[in-house]
C-alpha cells in the first residue's frame, strides 16, 4: 500500500470517528463599494484572521470566508446569495440591505442556514417570520424611540418623515410612527424617495414636503445616496432658521467613513441632530481600531471605520464560537439534497446544487446561546433573535444646547401654516336663533364668536387665510358633536363658534383656551303673588311657630325661677307672677321688657335669649318682605336637585351637549327632555307649562340664557350654576394652531379687548336677574334647630346650677334649724315630741324656694348667733355647778 493511500485511509478513519473538519465555509454577502461595505469587508477579513490564529476557538479548524458582492442591487444580491448557498456554507454573514434580507431569509429558512445580518435594521425582519434570521446589530426600533423622545422633549407634535421607499425605509418609518403615537405626536406627512433617485426626483419630493406645516424633518435613507438630500434642501432654503433636521444613524456612518478624507461641503449639514449607535469604550475596541487603521493604511484604503464594521467583526466571532460548540458536541457538518429542487424540463438554473444543511437547527441553537464580550460590548440575542441593547433608556432630559439650522440657538417652533395655497377650512354652526353669537354666510360671517376668532387670528405671527364653511340650514340646530367629528375626520381643519369644551369633544379634537366661561343653569317662569290677610304668618312654617312659642315660654319660666328669690319684680301673688313671667318672655321679642334681672344666671340666660330673638326677628322680617314683594316660581323648581327629582318635562337646546349630560349624569329619562331650537320656542314652551304641552324649566348654558333673558322678563334663573365649562375653538388633534391661538386669546384677555368684544355683543338686560327676587320660601325649623338647641342647653345648664345652689343652701338652712332645737326641746318635752326632727319634706323644700334669699340668709345668721349664746350660757352653768 502506497504512502498516499495510507494518508487517505487515515483521513477516512479520522472522519469516521468524528474528527473535526480542517476547514468550515462561512459566506459573507454585502456591497463591496458602499459606505457600510467598505468598513465591513476589512472588518470581516480581520475577524477571520483573528479566529484562525486563535488557539482556543476552533483550534483544529480554519474558517474559510466565501464573500459575494451584491452590487447595491436587490436582484443581483439575490442571485449572488443563491450562488453563495451552492458552496455549502454553514452560516451566512449579511446582507447589509434590509430588502435583500427579506428575500434571502426565505432561502435560508428552506436550506437551514443561519443568516447573521450586521446592517439590516428593518424592525419587520422578525424571528416569527424568519426563524433563521439573526440580527447582530441594533434594530431601528430603538433609534426611532430615541427620535420620538427628542420630539417629545422639545414639545413638537407633528413631523415630516423623509425616507427611502424600500423595506428599510418603510419599516423604520412605521416604527417611528408607533413611537411618536406613544408621545401623543404623529407623522403629518410622509415624503417617500424612490431608491436610486436622481437630484430632480429628490427636489420634487422635498418641495412637496416644504409645502406642509411641519418643519421637523426626520431623515431615514441609505448612506450612499442620502447626502444629496441636504444639498437639495439647502437650494430650497430648507436649511434656514425655523427648520429642524433629525437624521438616523446612516449619516453617522457616512461621517465616520469620510473622516480621513473630509466631506466636500460640510455647510450642507450644519445644525442637524444626528443619531449614532453607541459602542462603549474598551480595550478590545481600541485594539481593533488600531489594527483596522494599520491594515487600511497599508492597503491604501481611504474609507474610515464606522459602527457597522464593529458589528461585522463581532458577527464573525459569533459564528466561530457557535461552530466550535457545534463541533465540540460531536455534530457533523453534512449537506443533503432537497428533492423539491431537482431541475426539470431542461432548466438551467441548477437549483439541485442548493443543499440543505443537516445540522442547521443545531447550529442556530448554538448561535442563539451566544454570550461573549466583543468589540461592541456584550453579545447576546433575545427571543426575537435581535442583539440585546444594554441601555434602552432615553437621555433626552440631558440634552445640551443645540445650534439649529441658520446658526440659531432658539428652539424652533417646529411648524408653520402650510404653504399649500389652501385656506383653513373653518366649520361654523348656523342656528335658528342666538344670532348674536354666529350669523351670516360665506365670507360675511359675524357675531361674538367670529369676532373673537378674527381678533385672535390677527395676533398670530404668520398669516392664516380662512374659509368659513357654514353647517346648518338656520331653521334647525346642527349637532355640535358631529361638527367636531368632521374636524377629527379631516373634513374640516377647525370649528369656530359656541363650542363648549366637554369631555367627549376633547377626545376627538384639540381645543383652545376658553374665551368665555359657560356653565349650565336652569331658567323657569315666575309670577307675582297677591298677598293675603294672613300673609304675616307665612314666613314661618307651623312647626317653626310652635317651637318658637314654646321656647319663649321656656325662657320666661327659666328667668322667673332664676330671679324669683332675689328680685322683687318677679314676686307677688301667683296670678301676678304668671302674668309677669309671660309678659317678660314675649316683650323680649321687641326688646321692651321693663323687668330688670339681678342674678348672674338670669342675666346670662337673657343675653343668649336676646341674641336668639334678634336672629328670629331679622329672619322673619326678611322673609315677610320677600313674600310681600318678590316673584314666585310657577312650578316650585328651586335648583337642579328639585328639577331632577320631579317628573316635569325639561327643555334643552337642540344640538348641544345638555341632553347627554342630563341623561348620563342625572339619569333623566329621554321622555322628559324636549328639544328647542330658538328663543321663541324657549318662551313658548315655558309659558305653556307642563300642563299644556310645554316645559317646567329649561337647562342651558349661561350665555344663551343671558341672551334669552335680555328679551323676556317673565323668566328667571333659579339655583346656582351646576357645571363649569367654557367655550373654545376646536382644531385637529395635536394641531399647533390650537396652542398658538390659545396664546392669542390670553393676549386679548390681558389687553381688555376680550371684555370689550363681550360687552358689544351681549346687551344689558332691562329685566332684573337677581336670583334673590325669585321664589321666596317659608322658613322652617331646619334653619334654626342648631340655634334653638344651644339656647335650650344653656337654659338647662342655668337651671342645673340654680338647683345645686338651692339644695346646698337648703341643707345649710336645715342644719342651722336642727342645731337650735335642743334647748327648746329640753325645756318643753311635749314640743320635742310634736315637731319633726328635720325640715326635709318636698313641701318644705318648695316653701324654702319660695322664700326670698335675703330672708333665708338673715334667719341663718340669727340662728348662728343664738347657737353661740346658748353655748356660752351652758359653759357658765357648768362652771357654777362645779363651784
Amino acid at each position: 500500500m502506497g504512502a498516499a493511500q495510507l494518508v487517505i485511509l487515515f483521513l477516512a478513519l479520522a472522519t469516521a470517528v468524528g474528527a473535526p473538519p480542517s476547514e468550515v465555509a462561512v459566506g459573507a454577502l454585502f456591497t463591496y463599494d458602499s459606505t457600510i461595505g467598505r468598513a465591513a469587508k476589512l472588518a470581516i477579513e480581520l475577524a477571520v484572521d483573528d479566529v484562525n490564529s486563535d488557539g482556543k476557538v476552533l483550534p483544529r479548524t480554519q474558517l474559510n470566508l466565501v464573500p459575494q458582492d451584491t452590487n447595491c442591487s436587490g436582484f443581483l444580491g439575490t442571485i449572488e446569495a443563491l450562488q453563495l448557498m451552492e458552496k455549502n456554507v454553514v452560516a451566512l454573514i449579511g446582507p447589509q440591505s434590509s430588502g435583500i434580507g427579506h428575500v434571502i431569509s426565505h432561502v435560508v429558512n428552506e436550506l437551514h442556514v443561519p443568516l447573521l445580518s450586521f446592517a439590516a435594521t428593518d424592525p419587520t425582519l422578525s424571528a416569527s417570520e424568519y426563524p433563521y434570521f439573526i440580527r447582530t446589530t441594533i434594530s431601528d426600533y430603538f433609534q426611532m424611540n430615541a427620535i420620538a423622545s427628542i420630539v417629545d422633549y422639545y414639545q413638537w407634535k407633528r413631523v415630516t418623515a423623509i425616507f427611502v421607499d424600500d423595506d428599510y425605509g418603510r419599516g423604520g418609518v412605521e416604527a417611528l410612527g408607533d413611537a411618536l403615537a406613544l408621545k401623543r405626536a404623529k407623522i403629518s406627512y410622509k415624503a417617500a424617495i424612490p431608491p436610486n433617485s436622481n437630484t430632480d426626483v429628490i427636489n420634487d419630493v422635498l418641495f412637496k414636503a416644504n409645502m406642509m406645516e411641519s418643519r421637523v424633518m426626520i431623515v431615514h435613507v441609505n448612506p450612499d445616496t442620502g447626502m444629496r438630500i441636504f444639498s437639495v434642501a439647502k437650494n430650497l432654503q430648507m436649511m434656514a432658521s425655523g427648520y429642524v433636521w433629525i437624521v438616523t444613524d446612516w449619516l453617522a456612518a457616512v461621517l465616520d467613513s469620510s473622516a480621513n478624507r473630509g466631506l466636500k461641503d460640510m455647510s450642507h449639514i450644519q445644525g442637524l441632530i444626528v443619531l449614532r449607535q453607541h459602542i462603549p469604550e474598551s480595550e478590545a475596541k481600541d485594539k481593533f481600531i488600531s489594527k483596522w487603521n494599520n491594515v487600511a493604511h497599508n492597503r491604501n484604503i481611504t474609507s474610515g471605520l464606522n459602527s457597522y464594521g464593529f458589528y461585522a467583526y463581532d458577527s464573525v466571532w459569533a459564528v466561530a464560537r457557535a461552530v466550535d460548540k457545534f463541533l465540540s458536541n460531536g455534530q457533523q457538518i453534512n449537506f443533503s439534497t432537497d428533492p423539491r429542487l431537482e431541475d426539470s424540463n431542461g432548466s438551467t438554473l441548477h437549483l439541485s446544487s442548493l443543499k440543505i444543511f443537516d445540522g442547521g437547527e443545531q447550529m442556530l441553537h448554538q448561535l442563539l446561546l451566544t454570550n461573549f464580550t466583543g468589540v461592541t460590548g456584550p453579545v447576546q440575542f433575545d427571543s426575537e433573535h435581535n442583539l440585546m441593547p444594554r441601555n434602552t433608556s432615553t437621555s433626552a432630559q440631558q440634552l445640551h444646547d443645540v445650534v439649529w439650522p441658520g446658526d440659531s440657538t432658539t428652539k424652533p417652533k417646529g411648524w408653520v401654516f402650510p404653504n399649500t395655497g389652501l385656506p383653513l377650512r373653518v366649520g361654523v354652526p348656523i342656528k335658528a336663533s342666538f344670532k348674536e353669537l354666529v350669523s351670516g354666510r360665506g365670507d360675511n360671517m359675524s357675531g361674538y364668536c367670529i369676532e373673537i376668532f378674527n381678533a385672535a387670528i390677527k395676533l398670530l405671527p404668520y398669516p392664516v387665510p380662512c374659509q368659513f364653511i357654514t353647517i346648518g340650514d338656520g331653521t334647525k340646530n346642527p349637532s355640535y358633536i358631529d361638527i367636531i367629528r368632521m374636524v377629527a375626520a379631516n373634513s374640516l381643519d377647525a370649528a369656530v363658534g359656541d363650542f363648549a369644551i366637554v369631555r367627549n369633544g376633547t377626545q376627538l379634537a384639540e381645543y383652545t383656551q376658553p374665551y368665555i366661561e359657560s356653565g349650565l343653569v336652569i331658567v323657569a317662569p315666575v309670577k307675582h303673588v297677591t298677598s293675603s290677610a294672613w300673609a304675616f304668618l307665612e314666613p314661618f312654617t307651623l312647626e317653626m311657630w310652635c317651637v318658637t312659642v314654646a321656647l319663649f315660654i321656656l325662657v320666661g319660666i327659666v328667668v322667673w325661677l332664676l330671679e324669683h328669690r332675689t328680685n322683687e319684680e318677679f314676686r307677688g301673688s301667683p296670678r301676678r307672677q304668671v302674668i309677669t313671667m309671660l309678659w317678660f318672655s314675649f316683650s323680649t321679642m321687641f326688646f321692651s321688657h321693663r323687668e330688670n334681672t339681678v342674678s348672674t344666671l338670669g342675666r346670662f340666660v337673657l343675653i343668649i335669649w336676646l341674641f336668639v330673638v334678634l336672629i328670629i326677628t331679622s329672619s322673619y322680617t326678611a322673609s315677610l318682605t320677600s313674600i310681600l314683594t318678590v316673584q314666585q316660581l310657577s312650578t316650585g323648581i328651586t335648583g337642579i336637585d328639585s328639577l331632577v327629582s320631579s317628573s316635569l318635562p325639561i327643555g334643552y337646546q337642540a344640538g348641544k351637549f345638555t341632553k347627554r349630560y342630563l341623561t348620563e349624569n342625572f339619569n333623566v329619562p329621554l321622555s322628559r327632555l324636549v328639544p328647542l331650537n330658538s328663543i321663541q320656542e324657549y318662551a313658548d314652551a315655558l309659558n305653556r307649562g307642563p300642563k299644556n304641552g310645554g316645559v317646567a324649566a329649561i337647562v342651558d348654558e349661561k350665555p344663551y340664557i343671558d341672551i334669552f333673558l335680555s328679551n323676556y322678563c317673565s323668566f328667571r334663573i333659579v339655583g346656582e350654576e351646576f357645571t363649569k365649562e367654557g367655550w373654545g375653538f376646536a382644531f385637529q388633534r395635536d394641531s399647533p394652531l390650537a396652542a398658538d391661538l390659545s396664546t392669542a386669546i390670553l393676549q386679548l384677555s390681558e389687553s381688555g379687548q376680550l371684555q370689550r368684544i363681550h360687552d358689544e355683543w351681549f346687551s344689558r338686560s332691562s329685566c332684573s336677574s337677581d336670583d334673590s327676587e325669585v321664589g321666596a320660601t317659608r322658613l322652617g325649623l331646619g334653619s334654626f334647630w342648631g340655634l334653638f338647641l344651644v339656647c335650650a342647653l344653656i337654659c338647662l345648664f342655668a337651671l342645673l346650677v340654680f338647683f345645686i345652689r338651692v339644695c346646698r343652701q337648703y341643707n345649710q338652712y336645715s342644719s342651722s334649724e336642727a342645731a337650735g332645737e335642743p334647748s327648746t326641746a329640753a325645756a318643753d318635752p311635749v314640743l320635742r315630741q310634736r315637731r319633726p326632727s328635720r325640715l326635709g319634706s318636698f313641701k318644705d323644700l318648695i316653701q324654702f324656694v319660695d322664700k326670698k334669699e335675703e330672708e333665708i340668709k338673715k334667719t341663718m345668721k340669727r340662728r348662728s348667733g343664738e347657737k353661740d349664746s346658748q353655748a356660752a350660757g351652758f359653759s357658765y352653768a357648768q362652771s357654777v355647778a362645779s363651784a
Side-chain angles (χ1 to χ4, degrees), residues 35 38 254 257-264 302-304:
T35 300
R38 284 187 290 268
V254 172
S257 300
S258 306
N260 295 333
R261 60 190 175 111
L263 293 174
K264 294 181 179 179
T302 58
S303 178

Side-chain angles (χ1 to χ4, degrees), residues 23-28 30 40-55 57-58 61-67 93 288 291 299 309 312-320:
E23 67 176 24
V24 174
V26 176
F30 52 89
K41 186 175 185 297
L42 181 54
I44 291 174
E45 292 174 358
L46 293 177
V48 172
D49 291 342
D50 290 343
V51 170
N52 290 335
S53 61
D54 188 272
V57 178
L58 295 175
T61 303
Q62 294 289 303
L63 279 184
N64 179 23
L65 180 66
V66 184
I93 298 175
F288 172 68
K291 182 183 293 186
R299 296 185 185 181
Y313 181 86
D314 280 350
S315 299
V316 175
W317 273 100
V319 172

